[in-house]
C-alpha cells in the first residue's frame, strides 16, 4: 500500500472543498471571500474568456428556501442596472444542487483599504457620494441593502465605486419594472422574522439592531451610510463642521431626524464638495463669508491685488 | 445672472472704485464727479465687451486674456486723452479687465444650446 503525503492530502482536501463547476462554462481559479450565506470564487468564463466572481451557497444542505433566497439575491442585483452596482451575468445550479450566480469581477480595493491609502477628504467624499447614489438608485427600485459598510463598497481600478453584497437586501415595494410575479413585501427572498438581527453591528441603525425588521426602510441604509461617512472622517484632523453635521444627521437615533433618502444625503455631500451651504448645518455670518472666500479664492486674491496696487499708487503719488 | 450682466456689474463697481481713488490726488479732487462717472462708464463698456466674449467663448485663459487686452486698451485711451499718467492709469485698468474677464468666465449663466 502506498501512503499519501500530507501535501497530496491537503491538495485533495482543497479540491473536495472547492465547488464543482464542471457542468458549467466556468473554470475555478481561487476563493475570493467567505460570507455568512455564500462564498465568492474567482472563476474564468471559458465562453467569453473573462474572469468573473461567482457566489455559491455555503451549506451542503440545500433547502428550497435557501435556493430561492439565492436566486432572489441574483434577481435583486440583476434588476439594479446601475454603474455603482455590480452586474450579474448568469445564474445557475451546480451538480451538487447548490445555486450560484456569476457577476462582474471587480479589480480594486475595498473602501476601508482605499481610505487607508487615500487621505484626501475631497476624494473620500466623492467616493462616498457615488456609493450614496448607487444606494439611492436601489431605494428608488424598492430595495434596501441592510448591510452597508466600507467592506461592502469597492473602488475599482479606474476609480469607479461599486456597492457589493446584496445578500441581505430587503424588497420594500414593487419595482417600477415588474420582472417577477412576486407581490409587494418580502425580506431577503424569504421572510425574515421579527427579532432577527441582520447586518453589521457597527454600521446598523438602532431599529435594525433591535431586530425591528418590519420597521426598516430607506432610512436604515441612510444610517449605515452615515456610519460609513463617520469611518471616512474619523482620521481627518479637520473634517469641518458641515461634514460632521451631515454625519450626525445621517446617524440620528430617531429615524425621522435623518435624511429621508440616500439622494438627500448625496445632495448634501455634493453641496459640501461645491462649497455650498448644506441642509444639515446652519452657518453663522463669519462661516458664510469664510466659505465664500474659500470658494472664490482666486477672485478675492485678484481684487486684493488690485486694491493693494491702488493703495501703492495713492502713496507714491502723494510723495 | 447672465455673463454680460456680471461683466457690467463687476466692471461698474471696479470702475467706480478706480474713479474714487482720484480723491487721494488733491490736484484732480475737484473733478472727482466727472472722473468717477467716466471711470464707471469705462468699466461698464469693458464689462459689456468682456461679458459678451464670455458668453461666446467658454475658456478661462482666453477670457482673462481678452479682459486684459480690453482693460489695457480702454485705459490707454483714457491716458492718451488725458495726455499723461500712462502707467498709473493703464496698470489698474488692465487689472480691472483681468478681474472682469475672470469673473465673467467663472460665474454667470451659460446659454444652453438644444440638440436637434
Amino acid at each position: 500500500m502506498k501512503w499519501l503525503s500530507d501535501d497530496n492530502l491537503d491538495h485533495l482536501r482543497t479540491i473536495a472543498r472547492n465547488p464543482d463547476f464542471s457542468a458549467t462554462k466556468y473554470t475555478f481559479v481561487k476563493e475570493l471571500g467567505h460570507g455568512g450565506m455564500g462564498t465568492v470564487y474567482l472563476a474564468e468564463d471559458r465562453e467569453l474568456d473573462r474572469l468573473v466572481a461567482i457566489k455559491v451557497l455555503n451549506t451542503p444542505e440545500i433547502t428550497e428556501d435557501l435556493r430561492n433566497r439565492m436566486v432572489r439575491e441574483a434577481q435583486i442585483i440583476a434588476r439594479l442596472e446601475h454603474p455603482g452596482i455590480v452586474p450579474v451575468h448568469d445564474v445557475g445550479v451546480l451538480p451538487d444542487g447548490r445555486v450560484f450566480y456569476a457577476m462582474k469581477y471587480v479589480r480594486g480595493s475595498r473602501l476601508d483599504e482605499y481610505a487607508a491609502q487615500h487621505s484626501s477628504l475631497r476624494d473620500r467624499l466623492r467616493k462616498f457620494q457615488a456609493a450614496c447614489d448607487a444606494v439611492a438608485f436601489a431605494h428608488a427600485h424598492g430595495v434596501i441593502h441592510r448591510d452597508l459598510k466600507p467592506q461592502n463598497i469597492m473602488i475599482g481600478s479606474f476609480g469607479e465605486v461599486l456597492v457589493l453584497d446584496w445578500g441581505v437586501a430587503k424588497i420594500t415595494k414593487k419595482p417600477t419594472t415588474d420582472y417577477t410575479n412576486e407581490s409587494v413585501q418580502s425580506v431577503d427572498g424569504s421572510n425574515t422574522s421579527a427579532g432577527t438581527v441582520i447586518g453589521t453591528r457597527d454600521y446598523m441603525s438602532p431599529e435594525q439592531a433591535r431586530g425591528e425588521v418590519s420597521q426598516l426602510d430607506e432610512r436604515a441604509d441612510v444610517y449605515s451610510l452615515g456610519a460609513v461617512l463617520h469611518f471616512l472622517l474619523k482620521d481627518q484632523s479637520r473634517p469641518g463642521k458641515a461634514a460632521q453635521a451631515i454625519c450626525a444627521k445621517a446617524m440620528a437615533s430617531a429615524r425621522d431626524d435623518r435624511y429621508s433618502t440616500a439622494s438627500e444625503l448625496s445632495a448634501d455631500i455634493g453641496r459640501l464638495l461645491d462649497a455650498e451651504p448644506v441642509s444639515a448645518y446652519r452657518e453663522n455670518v463669519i462661516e458664510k463669508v469664510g466659505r465664500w472666500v474659500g470658494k472664490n479664492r482666486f477672485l478675492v486674491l485678484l481684487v486684493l491685488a488690485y486694491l493693494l496696487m491702488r493703495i501703492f499708487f495713492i502713496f507714491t503719488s502723494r510723495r | 445672472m447672465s455673463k454680460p450682466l456680471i461683466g457690467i456689474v463687476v466692471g461698474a463697481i471696479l470702475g467706480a472704485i478706480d474713479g474714487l481713488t482720484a480723491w487721494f490726488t488733491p490736484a484732480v479732487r475737484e473733478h472727482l464727479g466727472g472722473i468717477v462717472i467716466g471711470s464707471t462708464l469705462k468699466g461698464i463698456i469693458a464689462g459689456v465687451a468682456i461679458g459678451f466674449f464670455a458668453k461666446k467663448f467658454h475658456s478661462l485663459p482666453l477670457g482673462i486674456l481678452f479682459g486684459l487686452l480690453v482693460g489695457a486698451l480702454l485705459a490707454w485711451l483714457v491716458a492718451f486723452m488725458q495726455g499723461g499718467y500712462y502707467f498709473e492709469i493703464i496698470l489698474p485698468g488692465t487689472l480691472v479687465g483681468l478681474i472682469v474677464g475672470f469673473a465673467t468666465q467663472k460665474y454667470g449663466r451659460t446659454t444652453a444650446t438644444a440638440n436637434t
Side-chain angles (χ1 to χ4, degrees), chain A residues 72 146 169-173 182-192:
Chain A
R72 181 67 58 92
R146 296 202 296 182
K170 172 184 172 180
I171 302 170
T172 55
K173 62 183 179 195
E182 72 197 344
S183 59
V184 182
Q185 47 88 39
S186 184
V187 178
D188 55 72
S190 63
N191 290 309
T192 306

Side-chain angles (χ1 to χ4, degrees), chain B residues 20-73:
Chain B
L20 282 169
T21 54
W23 187 84
F24 293 99
T25 312
V28 294
R29 199 176 286 172
E30 59 186 89
H31 305 295
L32 189 67
I35 291 170
V36 170
I37 290 168
S39 186
T40 308
L41 275 174
K42 178 172 76 87
I44 289 172
I45 292 166
V48 168
I50 299 164
F52 274 105
F53 181 86
K55 195 179 171 185
K56 200 88 178 161
F57 303 99
H58 306 297
S59 161
L60 188 62
L62 271 182
I64 288 175
L65 186 68
F66 185 78
L68 211 102
L69 289 173
V70 169
L73 180 73

